Amino acid sequence: EGLILMNDLAPRAIVQELDKYIVGQNNAKKVVAIALRNRERRRKLPEDIRHDVMPKNILMIGPTGVGKTEIARRMAAMIDAPFIKVEATKFTEVGYVGRDVESIISDLVEMAVTRGYEKKLKEVETKAEKLATEKIIDYLCQQWPRAIAKAAVKVEGTGSGAEESKTISRGKTPVQQRRRPYRYRQLVAKLLQNQQLEDQPVEIEVGTEQEALGPPEDMPFHMYQEDGLDYTSEVSDNYRFYANHRGYGKEKKWRRVLVKEARRILTRETAGRLVDFDDVVDRSIEQVEENSVVFIDELDKLAGPRVEIGRDVSGEGVQRDLLPIVEGTTVMTHFGPVKSEHILFIAAGAFYQSKPSDLIPELQGRFPLRVELSSLGKEDLKQILIEPKNALTKQYQALMKTEGVNLIFSDDGIDEIARLAAVMNERLENIGARRLYTIMEKVLEEISFSASEKAGEELVVDATYVSQHVGGLVADEDLSRYIL
């Protein structure tokens, strides 16, 4: 739902889709829509020009809780692109304790590979389940002929199948049983299909993961060595994931489980063998290089006052490390080299105590598109409560519906919630739409607590109800500082 085909990426259609989830901020939506459309335009260019057309990275400026992250996240979801959000404050300059910025690309690729692998598993799930069922039938026919035959007599009652079952259960030898194996196999398959054997114990042979001590000799070379540098220690962290899907570092052993559990285990294992993991990795890297979006939050925290003594390893140092990643370089990841020049970077920050011009000039130039997001007033907050597809009022109504309670928000009730949220944002820290979460929880605290006792009732949240449960807290400034 909400997925837009790449050929339909008209900027107006993108903005209309974003409008379903984000209130206002039209300038930011337009800039994002144009960036996506330019990607599609670039794909239609001749090869010699296409490589030189770089994405125009975006810098969003605005207070917290106004929709910066949500715009980027929804945009990536619309086109089903790999997306990762990182906090700029989590990184330090290369060579110092902490994460370095190249881990952004590594995490992005790993997420894309995992997501691509899960999609492929779903595609082969039906075939894998069918093959797993055949395997279970084999195991059952080999291991439990008498028990299955007795179950068959109970299920079938009369008929040729029952007659055969009685014959087997009376103690025919294995040689006599094998005279009609196809007939017997059909009987087992039918019992399995009718879920009559779900609690029947069966022994199955499954792969078990061994401790990964390092890359095996036949693992692709680029996975652990590049340009003469040894990446074995880095690969060992991710080797378990890789080995699990390629069959490295596995041995077989027998497990005794119930049939229903055996079906789940064997389906997953069979699906893993049906998926070409190398193809998944190749396609995922291609997706990352061509379609992915990286959202860097709190970029303003890197633009603090200049450090006079020593190195600014978590400010200017990180900015300088970001330069090659944002401009375009090749990053060595667990799954091979990845080029970052066509990844779309969207940075964001409140810039309360600093301004974009405080960033180092080189990094400013890497984010040519600037867009300012406006603060949210009472009317904006009111729209956020009711208009988006995932609006808070709709969420709470759905939650209460599970208890049989019909929750109704009156117009004046919604108006009062929005007014209180705006007042608290003005009086305390302005946290934007996130203030609605705290106020809504406080308003509905009593309803949520006693909902299970009020099944079938209709509860109305109006302005009077809101004032009774939250109005006093807002009036008491000291108390609201801690609660709201």
Side-chain angles (χ1 to χ4, degrees):
E1 188 181 349
L3 196 67
I4 295 180
L5 296 174
M6 298 303 283
N7 294 332
D8 298 332
L9 278 176
R12 200 176 301 279
I14 296 170
V15 171
Q16 287 172 354
E17 189 65 28
L18 290 173
D19 284 341
K20 296 177 183 177
Y21 300 97
I22 300 125
V23 169
Q25 314 301 1
N26 291 325
N27 288 339
K29 291 173 185 174
K30 280 183 181 179
V31 169
V32 163
I34 292 168
L36 281 186
R37 186 59 179 177
N38 280 338
R39 274 189 162 181
E40 184 60 25
R41 291 165 180 157
R42 175 183 165 271
R43 285 192 184 87
K44 298 175 182 177
L45 294 174
E47 181 65 36
D48 56 334
I49 304 176
R50 189 191 317 154
H51 182 74
D52 296 327
V53 178
M54 300 297 178
K56 306 302 182 287
N57 296 318
I58 302 165
L59 177 60
M60 293 184 179
I61 304 162
T64 183
V66 296
K68 300 188 296 291
T69 307
E70 190 69 3
I71 287 173
R73 190 169 67 85
R74 290 291 176 186
M75 176 200 73
M78 276 193 295
I79 59 172
D80 198 26
F83 172 81
I84 190 171
K85 178 195 172 186
V86 296
E87 311 288 334
T89 52
K90 298 287 176 67
F91 301 100
T92 59
E93 187 178 342
V94 172
Y96 293 83
V97 175
R99 301 191 71 196
D100 63 76
V101 295
E102 287 198 351
S103 64
I104 294 172
I105 308 300
S106 296
D107 292 347
L108 184 63
V109 172
E110 191 160 330
M111 181 274 296
V113 170
T114 304
R115 194 179 70 147
Y117 183 73
E118 291 296 331
K119 280 186 177 178
K120 285 291 182 184
L121 284 181
K122 280 187 170 58
E123 288 177 14
V124 300
E125 192 173 23
T126 303
K127 184 178 180 181
E129 193 168 347
K130 188 175 179 181
L131 292 172
T133 301
E134 291 296 317
K135 225 171 186 182
I136 292 172
I137 293 171
D138 289 340
Y139 287 132
L140 288 171
C141 288
Q142 293 166 12
Q143 298 169 24
W144 300 98
R146 288 177 179 274
I148 292 171
K150 289 175 182 176
V153 173
K154 292 178 184 177
V155 175
E156 299 291 338
T158 58
S160 58
E163 291 302 316
E164 183 178 356
S165 302
K166 290 174 184 175
T167 303
I168 295 171
S169 65
R170 279 197 292 270
K172 294 290 184 181
T173 65
V175 173
Q176 289 171 310
Q177 288 178 23
R178 285 197 297 270
R179 286 174 185 167
R180 300 173 70 186
Y182 178 71
R183 179 72 177 167
Y184 181 65
R185 186 180 178 83
Q186 276 188 315
L187 175 63
V188 174
K190 188 171 184 180
L191 289 169
L192 203 61
Q193 185 180 5
N194 294 336
Q195 296 190 327
Q196 298 293 332
L197 304 176
E198 293 297 286
D199 296 322
Q200 175 78 26
V202 62
E203 286 191 8
I204 60 172
E205 192 179 25
V206 294
T208 59
E209 215 175 304
Q210 293 178 308
E211 186 65 32
L213 301 177
E217 293 179 3
D218 58 339
M219 180 179 276
F221 184 75
H222 72 266
M223 284 296 294
Y224 59 97
Q225 201 168 22
E226 183 77 14
D227 299 330
L229 298 175
D230 187 8
Y231 286 88
T232 302
S233 60
E234 292 183 28
V235 172
S236 62
D237 295 334
N238 207 47
Y239 170 61
R240 188 179 300 279
F241 173 79
Y242 186 82
N244 189 41
H245 308 301
R246 284 295 303 273
Y248 291 121
K250 284 191 172 185
E251 63 178 5
K252 291 285 188 178
K253 79 170 188 179
W254 290 88
R255 282 183 62 188
R256 185 179 176 86
V257 294
L258 300 181
V259 165
K260 56 187 175 185
E261 179 69 6
R263 185 183 291 107
R264 186 188 64 81
I265 294 170
L266 293 175
T267 299
R268 185 78 180 184
E269 196 174 80
T270 305
R273 286 199 298 272
L274 291 174
V275 172
D276 184 347
F277 191 68
D278 284 332
D279 182 62
V280 169
V281 170
D282 292 341
R283 288 175 180 272
S284 299
I285 289 177
E286 183 183 350
Q287 276 282 302
V288 167
E289 291 181 339
E290 296 294 325
N291 296 324
S292 61
V293 179
V294 173
F295 184 82
I296 305 174
D297 203 4
E298 298 184 348
L299 189 69
D300 56 317
K301 303 296 192 301
L302 302 182
R306 186 174 295 277
V307 175
E308 300 295 335
I309 301 173
R311 295 180 66 89
D312 184 8
V313 299
S314 60
E316 188 174 321
V318 175
Q319 291 184 57
R320 296 201 176 279
D321 285 347
L322 275 171
L323 287 177
I325 303 288
V326 177
E327 185 177 38
T329 187
T330 300
V331 178
M332 187 60 204
T333 72
H334 298 310
F335 296 101
V338 177
K339 296 176 181 177
S340 68
E341 55 250 40
H342 294 296
I343 295 174
L344 177 63
F345 288 87
I346 301 177
F351 290 96
Y352 284 132
Q353 299 173 335
S354 60
K355 49 189 183 293
S357 58
D358 291 332
L359 295 166
I360 61 174
E362 299 93 326
L363 191 62
Q364 290 181 48
R366 303 299 190 274
F367 290 91
L369 300 182
R370 309 277 176 86
V371 59
E372 191 166 349
L373 286 82
S374 55
S375 297
L376 301 174
K378 176 192 162 185
E379 287 304 313
D380 297 315
L381 293 169
K382 185 176 176 181
Q383 285 180 280
I384 288 169
L385 278 171
I386 56 176
E387 285 188 7
K389 290 180 73 172
N390 59 342
L392 274 179
T393 50
K394 297 173 185 175
Q395 292 180 28
Y396 280 105
Q397 284 172 330
L399 287 170
M400 292 302 104
K401 205 89 170 177
T402 63
E403 302 273 12
V405 174
N406 186 19
L407 185 62
I408 296 173
F409 291 91
S410 68
D411 290 341
D412 64 337
I414 289 171
D415 197 70
E416 181 65 9
I417 292 171
R419 186 189 72 81
L420 293 175
V423 167
M424 297 312 298
N425 277 341
E426 289 172 10
R427 190 181 294 174
L428 306 175
E429 288 288 331
N430 185 356
I431 59 173
R434 293 188 178 96
R435 184 73 66 185
L436 293 172
Y437 287 92
T438 54
I439 291 185
M440 284 285 280
E441 274 296 320
K442 202 65 191 170
V443 167
L444 298 174
E445 186 177 53
E446 187 58 39
I447 291 176
S448 295
F449 184 77
S450 58
S452 55
E453 303 160 13
K454 298 182 177 180
E457 292 186 28
E458 183 177 280
L459 302 178
V460 178
V461 177
D462 54 17
T464 305
Y465 186 91
V466 173
S467 297
Q468 288 173 349
H469 289 78
V470 183
L473 295 176
V474 175
D476 189 339
E477 192 167 338
D478 290 335
L479 190 58
S480 65
R481 185 177 298 278
Y482 299 102
I483 296 178
L484 299 177

